[in-house]
Amino acid sequence: MALYVIIAAGMVALASLVEAAPAGRGYRGTGMSRRQVLNGLCLFTVFMVLFALSACRMNVGNDYAKYVEFMHLIACGAYEYVPTETGFNLLVAVLYRLAGGENFLLVFAVFAFFTLWLFLKAMYEQSDSFGWSFFLFMAFGFYFSTFNTVRYYLVLALALYSIKYVLKGEWGKFILLVLLGSLFHKSMLVVIPLYFLASLAWKKWQLGLMALFCTTFFFLQDFYLKVVIFLYPSYEDTEYLEGGISWFNILRCLGVLVFSLIYYKRAVEGSRRNRFYFFCNLGAFVLYTCCSFLPIITRIGYYLNVTQILFIPAVLVKIEDKRQRRFWSIAVGLAAAGYFALYLLRAGNDGIRVLPYQTFMFHDMVPILSDVN
């Protein structure tokens, strides 16, 4: 746990030095300003430290051994026993061929590289404050959660990056990215309707109709569960069909919504981008409260509430009164730090298991199912 705290604190400190680079004379003939050079050095350091921590892990993550088993079955050509998507299967086959054997560490490293790169790129290009966004990225546990379900967090990062095309109205590029991501985790397809709905300028009567539709989640649960089984047939007759209320996500969405409503007219109403983030969080809140019976609701909700790392800084910078901005900055910082502390306290529990940290340099791989049988 101490390792995670030290790395999080150090990387947040570096990220706070990253700012938008003003146009100006190049630095020492490089064509880059001093600010751009500093940004580049900070971003590179942050990326390399976090990438190394992720790529060097061993047995860290609740499904680490399961993924190693899937990769082994892919290498053996036993695709009928592998529930993963075509893109993942093909990538594993190619990397194993290039490595000359079953090098699962290489596969995890490749996923870590692109997942982290996409997250950092999305925050740097789309956030009003990279430092704030990165702090929330770490504090809300998004980074450490990438140690689990590597396919899903790759496409979650891709979904966050794709938002810029939604806001620009470049739907073709957006859909192409979604289709690409669905080759690794088909749940990404849900962002097509979700992000489209969040991009609309909703009127009050339309929100009323949507609220009426949401009531169907309470008396048509069997129907929606059948839809989930259709999309995820491997979930049938398993513990994965068990839903559950995600109180942490509900409270986090509620807090963000209350905060944004206080400054709605100033920060949200006139901004297409911030209005999109607002409706994403409103949608996540509705899903977590009305659809808790669905086993995949957390994953679907994350496609929406991951925008919090962009939305909160966007509201903070719109607060003109310095005292109010200072108050909310402290409040948000303390709340996020508290959330991070709670996350670390639960990080060793089943379903998370990102603690204790182990590395291939000092630990051996635990036996997988194929080894036992």
Side-chain angles (χ1 to χ4, degrees):
M1 183 183 296
L3 174 66
Y4 288 176
V5 173
I6 292 172
I7 287 181
M11 296 306 99
V12 167
L14 275 179
S16 66
L17 300 177
V18 177
E19 298 177 2
R25 187 175 59 184
Y27 180 63
R28 294 183 179 179
T30 63
M32 299 175 64
S33 67
R34 288 179 174 84
R35 168 48 58 188
Q36 289 173 316
V37 171
L38 179 60
N39 285 352
L41 289 174
C42 291
L43 288 169
F44 178 77
T45 303
V46 168
F47 176 84
M48 290 306 299
V49 171
L50 297 186
F51 169 69
L53 185 71
S54 182
C56 293
R57 75 187 193 279
M58 171 78 78
N59 304 324
V60 180
N62 69 314
D63 53 4
Y64 191 96
K66 185 181 295 184
Y67 266 104
V68 175
E69 170 73 12
F70 291 159
M71 296 177 204
H72 171 70
L73 293 174
I74 292 170
C76 295
Y79 290 98
E80 64 272 19
Y81 301 107
V82 179
T84 47
E85 289 81 358
T86 303
F88 176 81
N89 299 344
L90 180 61
L91 180 62
V92 170
V94 170
L95 292 177
Y96 273 19
R97 177 65 62 88
L98 293 175
E102 296 188 26
N103 192 336
F104 57 86
L105 290 173
L106 175 62
V107 178
F108 282 120
V110 168
F111 271 89
F113 181 94
F114 286 103
T115 301
L116 187 58
W117 178 71
L118 284 168
F119 269 124
L120 292 179
K121 185 175 178 62
M123 287 185 284
Y124 184 68
E125 293 183 356
Q126 300 177 49
S127 177
D128 288 328
S129 171
F130 178 83
W132 263 113
S133 289
F134 183 81
F135 166 67
L136 297 172
F137 171 68
M138 298 297 291
F140 287 165
F142 285 114
Y143 167 69
F144 293 108
S145 294
T146 63
F147 295 175
N148 288 312
T149 322
V150 293
R151 293 160 34 247
Y152 171 74
Y153 278 93
L154 171 66
V155 300
L156 181 64
L158 187 60
L160 183 68
Y161 179 75
S162 71
I163 287 175
K164 72 175 187 178
Y165 296 118
V166 174
L167 298 177
K168 291 179 180 179
E170 298 178 358
W171 294 100
K173 294 180 180 179
F174 166 69
I175 291 175
L176 284 176
L177 283 181
V178 173
L179 294 177
L180 174 64
S182 68
L183 295 176
F184 293 88
H185 206 286
K186 56 190 174 186
S187 69
M188 190 178 180
L189 291 172
V190 303
V191 306
I192 295 179
L194 290 179
Y195 285 2
F196 172 74
L197 291 174
S199 68
L200 299 177
W202 289 83
K203 301 182 184 301
K204 291 182 179 180
W205 66 269
Q206 292 172 325
L207 289 173
L209 288 178
M210 182 58 70
L212 186 63
F213 168 76
C214 289
T215 61
T216 64
F217 292 122
F218 295 106
F219 55 85
L220 292 178
Q221 294 186 4
D222 291 340
F223 168 76
Y224 289 116
L225 282 173
K226 288 180 181 178
V227 173
V228 171
I229 293 175
F230 174 77
L231 295 174
Y232 292 90
S234 61
Y235 280 8
E236 189 170 10
D237 298 326
T238 69
E239 68 278 8
Y240 292 114
L241 280 182
E242 298 178 4
I245 298 177
S246 179
W247 291 109
F248 284 103
N249 283 311
I250 290 175
L251 292 175
R252 205 172 80 199
C253 287
L254 183 60
V256 171
L257 288 172
V258 171
F259 171 55
S260 60
L261 283 172
I262 293 173
Y263 296 98
Y264 187 85
K265 288 188 176 181
R266 184 178 304 169
V268 179
E269 190 174 42
S271 170
R272 183 171 184 267
R273 179 193 61 168
N274 292 349
R275 192 170 61 243
F276 172 85
Y277 297 151
F278 176 83
F279 284 125
C280 278
N281 282 274
L282 180 60
F285 178 74
V286 170
L287 289 177
Y288 287 130
T289 53
C290 300
C291 306
S292 59
F293 64 93
L294 293 177
I296 58 172
I297 199 60
T298 300
R299 293 180 179 178
I300 296 176
Y302 269 29
Y303 285 122
L304 296 171
N305 71 6
V306 71
T307 59
Q308 291 172 358
I309 65 178
L310 303 176
F311 188 32
I312 294 174
V315 175
L316 283 173
V317 300
K318 291 292 185 178
I319 301 176
E320 297 176 355
D321 186 274
K322 292 183 179 180
R323 290 185 178 180
Q324 291 185 34
R325 185 167 62 247
R326 187 182 302 113
F327 168 80
W328 283 109
S329 296
I330 294 172
V332 169
L334 290 176
Y339 187 95
F340 184 56
L342 290 174
Y343 176 85
L344 289 182
L345 289 174
R346 300 167 56 245
N349 296 352
D350 290 339
I352 303 177
R353 292 180 58 191
V354 296
L355 282 176
Y357 182 78
Q358 297 180 354
T359 172
F360 69 86
M361 291 179 281
F362 304 108
H363 300 86
D364 296 322
M365 179 63 199
V366 298
I368 59 175
L369 186 60
S370 295
D371 295 332
V372 174
N373 295 336

